[in-house]
Amino acid sequence: MDLAGDLDRLAAAVPSHVRDVCARLTEAGHQAVVVGGCVRDVLMGRHPMDWDVATSAHPEDVLALFKRTRPQGLQHGTVVVEMGRHKDTHVEVTTFRGEGAYSDAGDEFEEASSREPETTAAVPRSRSHLRIVKDPE
């Protein structure tokens, strides 16, 4: 695995609207990481179908921070942030969760990557802030 190459590829692939979501969350004092199949797809040379972000912000924080939102699975802490009119500019933002309900406990990066076996997480702010938690293979 070429970690430096993977980080460069991931940093270049994260769309500006996803970076904007992460930036707004971090500027408000929350953590935000890109997670899931989108990261795996980039690292495996595929084009992601959608982008997901995990955050320390609770759903009510996400709803307050963004103008266009759609609750989707609030019981799981998920809000869709609509950064544009087209579906490919929508980002699913989900609160870090522990056992059952969401929480802020534990190592959020490890927790975010453990939700699904194929999930990989990274911080999308810049190449120097990217962190791959789990090998996508």
Side-chain angles (χ1 to χ4, degrees), residues 10 14-15 17-27 29-40 50-57 62 66 91-97 106-115 119-126 129-134:
L10 184 58
V14 177
H17 69 279
V18 177
R19 289 178 185 276
D20 292 346
V21 168
C22 292
R24 189 169 303 168
L25 287 163
T26 57
E27 288 164 5
H30 305 289
Q31 293 180 333
V33 294
V34 172
V35 296
C38 56
V39 176
R40 178 202 59 229
D50 58 12
W51 291 85
D52 301 310
V53 170
T55 182
S56 58
V62 177
F66 297 94
V91 181
E92 274 194 22
V93 178
T94 303
T95 302
F96 296 135
R97 54 184 186 251
D107 182 349
E108 291 87 358
F109 297 106
E110 296 296 336
E111 186 275 327
S113 71
S114 68
R115 292 186 195 168
T119 301
T120 306
V123 181
R125 295 289 301 220
S126 70
H129 288 90
L130 288 170
R131 175 177 167 195
I132 294 179
V133 177
K134 199 174 190 178

Side-chain angles (χ1 to χ4, degrees), residues 2 4 13 15 17 26 42 45 48-49 58 60 66 73 80-82 88 98 114 127-128 136:
D2 174 20
H17 69 279
T26 57
V42 168
M49 297 300 291
H58 289 176
E60 56 273 12
F66 297 94
V80 174
V81 175
E82 299 176 353
D88 64 351
S114 68
R127 186 194 181 287
S128 64

